[in-house]
Amino acid sequence: MSGNRAGGSAKQAAAAPGTLVERKLQHLGLRQPSDFVVHLPIRYEDETQVVPISSAYPGAPAQVEGEIVRSEVQLRPRRQLVAVLDDGTGALTLRWLNFYPSQQKQVAAGKRVRVRGDVRSGFGGHEMVHPKVTVTGTALPDALTPIYPTTDGLSQASLRKAIDQALAVADLSDTLPQEICERYGLMSFVEAIRVLHHPPASISYHQLIERGHPAWTRIKFDELLAQQLSLAAARAARRSQRAHPLDGGQGRLTKALLASLPFSLTAAQQRVVTEISHDLTRSFPMHRLLQGDVGSGKTIVAAFAAAQAISSNSQVAIMAPTEILAEQHFQKLVGWLEPLGVTVAWLTGSLASKARKAAAALIESGQAQLIIGTQALIQDKVNFANLGLVILDEQHRFGVGQRLELSRKGEDSLGSQAFIPHHLSMSATPIPRTLAMTFFADLDVSVIDELPPGRSPVLTKLVADSRRDEVLGHVIAEVRQGRQAYWVCPLVEESEALQLQTAVDTHTWLEQALPDVRVGLIHGRLAAAEKQQVMQAFRTGQLDLLVATTVIEVGVDVPNASLMIIEHAERFGLAQLHQLRGRVGRGIQQSVCVLMYQRPLSAVARQRLRAMYETADGFEIARRDLEQRGPGEFLGVRQSGQELLRFASIETDAQIVEQAQEAARELRDRYPQHVHAHLQRWMRGKQDFLRS
Ligand code: ADP
Ligand code: MG
């Protein structure tokens, strides 16, 4: 026994002066008292009542007390401590598979104890495994017991103690003016915090757990408000940055470009061209997202922005996520702008080092006015002479870091003056309204909500894999009419090699099955030159059918292709399917997308396929996608390890989002000192993420 005590104090000595606990707390981001204040419970346990054993039911937690009538260490089926507790209304078996001698003593026969745990039904009636044991007679708590998010090796008890200590010293004053609290019917901060850390026994347990209680509402409001405020601060910071105003001279280039096009811009395209053009003339950097469904004609809008920048003597960089897409942009933009005297350069990772050096030299000397490429553009070796506009196509495919880096290029190129290039991102993946409001307040959005004339929606067919032969018939019919088709091979997530093999096999099989059809193959492992060759052959009609992996997923534009076949469509995500389908329906002829699937379908896959069948509207698809995947994954920020929101949910708290946005404006206008206090409380150490 004395040995036991010595062991205990040795442990304590090692931990002194609380460093271990402190480190664990820091790991949870808990440093200052204010951090602890908003470290809120994930759930609660009701220890305020003791119930008769006869009314404790399996499947629910219970707290009971009584006398230990039997206690023994059993050796079969494995060593365990088994005790039986009786309170006069019934008996309950207590079981420990691991135990210390001290625990054994605590539940020796004849002892009176209070135990708490989940009740389950065992062989000999109801039992609890590893219940929490306390002595009888101590007063019952009058508040529910909070259970906090914790980390390995940090007990609830230590965490609770640390939080209570912090609560005693922390500043709990309200960061919202009385007026705002009243308008939105908000509970005071101090009351909300008290309730959530120590909910009174009388509280509605359901409201508390479901986060519908007014205390939670206040916390969600605060969290969303903090986010709105910091986004507004980011916006203000951007407005104080400097950029070169790009007024386009007399509009010589843009006018010439317009005159040379074989089509006229849609009303929607004209509108967004004007919006962007206006932004470019400002002396602070543009930060604009151009959204338009697949095939809506974003590339030509980018060309107009580029033309305006170039005739203002600035360089323009266009970055695409894949080589195939970058190459396609290169061809298009050369076609549009070279006849007007613009020098276009091309830079991707696969360029031979000599060509790469030549390109870099053109860029550095300022001779290249428009530079098109892949991620290679953001590599350190490339220096721009005077980068004024950065365009990112399919921006959702780039990581947050990459998006920032290309902007920084421009900052560097102008040295100490720190002029920032204007920034245009383009995406076919629309960001639903609440999401945009919550996370992109510092992003202006232009939307192309109209397709070029003469397009009819793609007809989508769901076809079981067993009906392959019919699908082959489709291909033959389409090719006979002089049209082209894509055959997308299944995604094999586990193995890239396997995916490649599948593509090769499919190609061989299709060549045999369709002897009159010219079949090509493209995948990520082909050398860049080969990829270019295959795409070129398809674009110019020397191939009828292109077997492809998802390398063709984004951006590829071959208007004569009118049939898209996707094998194992059930393996693809919704956004991906929509993108793939968007490769057809780009000409005037009716296009068809065949989604082949293999049974059995999971519920999620079934939902996805149904969504694809039911709607062609990119916004609706995005809404459903968000519903299925949640915001973090949707925005591709989950990898960054940052929680987007800890308490509020943009799906269910849309109303609070709106209120918070309104309140943020008012606070910034009328209560600047409250803004500061509020951000201090809620946003410490989070600013970086929000700025991107
Ligand atoms: P996305 O928005 O998917 O990037 P693209 O820019 O690739 O779309 O354009 C799709 C196709 O529509 C291209 O072939 C493009 O030349 C054509 N296009 C764009 N705008 C118009 C228009 N106003 N009228 C007719 N065709 C257009
Ligand atoms: Mg595009």
Side-chain angles (χ1 to χ4, degrees), residues 253 257 303 306-307 310 314-319 326-347 351 355 358-363 366-373 377 384:
L253 255 185
L257 175 59
I310 291 164
S314 261
Q315 283 179 310
V316 177
I318 300 185
M319 187 157 104
E327 212 249 326
Q328 177 183 290
H329 282 338
F330 180 69
Q331 294 206 351
K332 279 194 181 175
L333 285 145
V334 162
W336 284 325
L337 294 173
E338 241 178 32
L340 308 179
V342 174
T343 308
V344 188
W346 156 254
L347 187 72
L351 274 190
L362 275 181
I363 296 169
Q367 236 172 309
Q369 296 166 290
L370 175 58
I371 302 93
I372 298 173
L377 281 182
F384 291 83

Side-chain angles (χ1 to χ4, degrees), residues 612-632:
M612 286 297 291
Y613 179 74
E614 285 174 355
T615 179
D617 175 359
F619 271 89
E620 176 60 17
I621 298 261
R623 196 189 60 74
R624 297 195 194 189
D625 199 23
L626 174 65
E627 208 172 79
Q628 289 183 8
R629 290 195 292 162

Side-chain angles (χ1 to χ4, degrees), residues 122-388:
F123 289 123
H126 295 170
E127 62 175 38
M128 277 182 194
V129 178
H130 292 188
K132 186 174 145 190
V133 181
T134 47
V135 286
T136 52
T138 49
L140 288 167
D142 53 10
L144 299 182
T145 310
I147 308 294
Y148 293 102
T150 186
T151 182
D152 239 10
L154 181 64
S155 73
Q156 285 293 328
S158 328
L159 187 51
R160 216 172 280 150
K161 196 168 133 205
I163 287 174
D164 284 344
Q165 278 167 359
L167 282 175
V169 297
D171 173 14
L172 299 179
S173 61
D174 223 295
T175 51
L176 296 187
Q178 186 68 22
E179 187 193 347
I180 300 265
C181 284
E182 275 167 19
R183 174 157 352 124
Y184 298 108
L186 295 171
M187 186 180 260
S188 73
F189 181 73
V190 64
E191 192 185 347
I193 286 299
R194 292 257 152 78
V195 165
L196 295 177
H197 284 294
H198 298 287
S202 61
I203 203 167
S204 156
Y205 187 71
H206 179 76
Q207 263 197 334
L208 193 63
I209 291 299
E210 300 295 322
R211 298 195 172 175
H213 192 276
W216 277 123
T217 308
R218 168 63 203 255
I219 296 301
K220 292 175 183 180
F221 185 94
D222 273 17
E223 178 178 46
L224 290 166
L225 176 67
Q227 194 169 35
Q228 291 299 328
L229 287 173
S230 65
L231 287 165
R235 170 181 288 253
R238 173 165 64 90
R239 291 189 170 230
S240 69
Q241 289 173 331
R242 290 205 293 161
H244 287 293
L246 307 174
D247 61 6
Q250 302 299 310
R252 180 189 61 81
L253 255 185
T254 47
K255 278 182 202 150
L257 175 59
L258 191 61
S260 72
L261 288 181
F263 50 76
S264 48
L265 296 182
T266 62
Q269 283 171 319
Q270 276 168 28
R271 179 169 36 78
V272 302
V273 164
T274 310
E275 285 167 359
I276 294 165
S277 166
H278 181 72
D279 278 6
L280 289 176
T281 63
R282 310 268 208 144
S283 54
F284 60 86
M286 167 171 81
H287 194 193
R288 189 171 278 278
L289 173 66
L290 173 59
Q291 288 191 343
D293 211 343
V294 283
S296 63
K298 295 182 288 293
T299 318
I300 187 65
V301 173
F304 274 96
Q308 180 171 335
I310 291 164
S311 46
S312 318
N313 299 316
S314 261
Q315 283 179 310
V316 177
I318 300 185
M319 187 157 104
T322 64
E323 293 220 346
I324 291 176
L325 188 51
E327 212 249 326
Q328 177 183 290
H329 282 338
F330 180 69
Q331 294 206 351
K332 279 194 181 175
L333 285 145
V334 162
W336 284 325
L337 294 173
E338 241 178 32
L340 308 179
V342 174
T343 308
V344 188
W346 156 254
L347 187 72
T348 68
S350 68
L351 274 190
S353 84
K354 204 170 146 199
R356 195 189 170 92
K357 275 194 193 124
L362 275 181
I363 296 169
E364 207 159 333
S365 71
Q367 236 172 309
Q369 296 166 290
L370 175 58
I371 302 93
I372 298 173
T374 55
Q375 285 86 332
L377 281 182
I378 54 176
Q379 284 174 354
D380 285 330
K381 274 170 263 171
V382 189
N383 292 308
F384 291 83
N386 58 335
L387 183 60

